[in-house]
Amino acid sequence: MSILGAIKRLAAVGAVVLAAVSLQPTTTASAAPAPVVGGTRAAQGEFPFMVRLSMGCGGSLYSSTVVLTAAHCVGATGNNTSITATAGVVDLQSSSAVTSRSTKIYRAPGYNGYGKDWALIKLATPINLPTLNIATTTAYNTGTFTVAGWGAAVEGGAQQRYLLKASVPYVSDATCNSASWYNGAVITTDEICAGYAAGGTDTCQGDSGGPMFRTDNSGNFIQVGIVSWGDGCAQPRSPGVYTKVSTFASAIAAAAATL
């Protein structure tokens, strides 16, 4: 990654959520739904696999006792009881929220701040809600994706009480790496870009670690990305960058089996 100003989308350090910027489209084909102001509220139960983590990140239920999130959200692999996972609600102040403390962290081996941006959190007690399957092949790595989170609704803004959602289209590596987008050759082969040329819709600070997902051939949700980083939020020709889950599917499954 060579671009200056690229940021992880972690709430504590100025990172990822649903943006609230209204921009004029550059072309009809690349236009974001206008106007977009931080996405729209998700309905209760719409995405039951969504998890909010107490350090200011998102995640998804890989299993009832394992949360999949971003490596930059957590510390080194090992025992850790400092994280609280909240699930089962779109309103974080709801009395119906289900919570569980962490017991261990597994951070992707070799993670050094760039690429390999995935991690697992082991929970002390099960969260018995639907889980989110992960993509094991590249078959679902294009198309239109859904992103959701409790992150900022504007760049640099406050975290949200209610879960927000938005749709973002796939952006090819060639386009994302072009000089007019991310200034050339910054997106690695284990990352996916998604967003609009005009900007206006994006993940933002506090969305880090949350899932980017779509439906599979059976109509079920499948996770294809993990919110990782971006150049601000919802800026033109600067789409969100997501960890490509299919690249790490085998490693994720193997690591989860050890927790």
Side-chain angles (χ1 to χ4, degrees):
M1 186 187 341
S2 60
I3 187 169
L4 296 177
I7 56 173
K8 297 294 183 183
R9 298 195 161 180
L10 175 64
V13 296
V16 189
V17 167
L18 299 177
V21 180
S22 178
L23 299 169
Q24 293 300 314
T26 55
T27 68
T28 301
S30 63
V36 173
V37 181
T40 58
R41 283 192 191 179
Q44 177 63 35
E46 187 173 6
F47 309 125
F49 45 77
M50 290 294 302
V51 175
R52 182 64 174 170
L53 299 170
S54 56
M55 83 288 281
C57 280
S60 58
L61 283 174
Y62 178 83
S63 73
S64 63
T65 57
V66 176
V67 173
L68 176 61
T69 188
H72 74 265
C73 287
V74 301
T77 296
N79 294 334
N80 185 307
T81 60
S82 68
I83 301 168
T84 299
T86 300
V89 293
V90 295
D91 178 0
L92 293 178
Q93 296 182 20
S94 171
S95 60
S96 299
V98 179
T99 62
S100 182
R101 299 284 288 184
S102 61
T103 61
K104 295 179 181 179
I105 288 171
Y106 183 97
R107 190 169 66 181
Y111 173 73
N112 63 359
Y114 304 107
K116 300 179 181 178
D117 195 8
W118 65 270
L120 299 173
I121 298 172
K122 174 72 172 181
L123 302 177
T125 55
I127 294 178
N128 295 312
L129 292 168
T131 57
L132 180 59
N133 291 331
I134 64 172
T136 57
T137 73
T138 60
Y140 301 108
N141 287 355
T142 58
T144 299
F145 309 114
T146 298
V147 289
W150 288 272
V154 292
E155 186 172 330
Q159 304 304 288
Q160 302 298 298
R161 171 178 172 178
Y162 298 97
L163 181 67
L164 299 180
K165 64 177 181 178
S167 296
V168 287
Y170 169 75
V171 176
S172 70
D173 289 355
T175 297
C176 208
N177 284 334
S178 66
S180 63
W181 284 60
Y182 264 124
N183 296 329
V186 300
I187 309 305
T188 66
T189 57
D190 62 13
E191 296 174 322
I192 300 176
C193 290
Y196 295 92
T201 305
D202 196 8
T203 49
C204 195
Q205 291 89 6
D207 288 325
S208 280
M212 180 174 74
F213 50 97
R214 52 161 289 179
T215 54
D216 62 17
N217 291 335
S218 299
N220 299 312
F221 286 130
I222 189 166
Q223 183 170 353
V224 298
I226 300 169
V227 178
S228 183
W229 64 277
D231 184 15
C233 304
Q235 297 299 317
R237 297 175 298 282
S238 299
V241 183
Y242 302 81
T243 302
K244 188 182 296 183
V245 169
S246 60
T247 301
F248 303 105
S250 296
I252 291 170
T258 70
L259 293 177

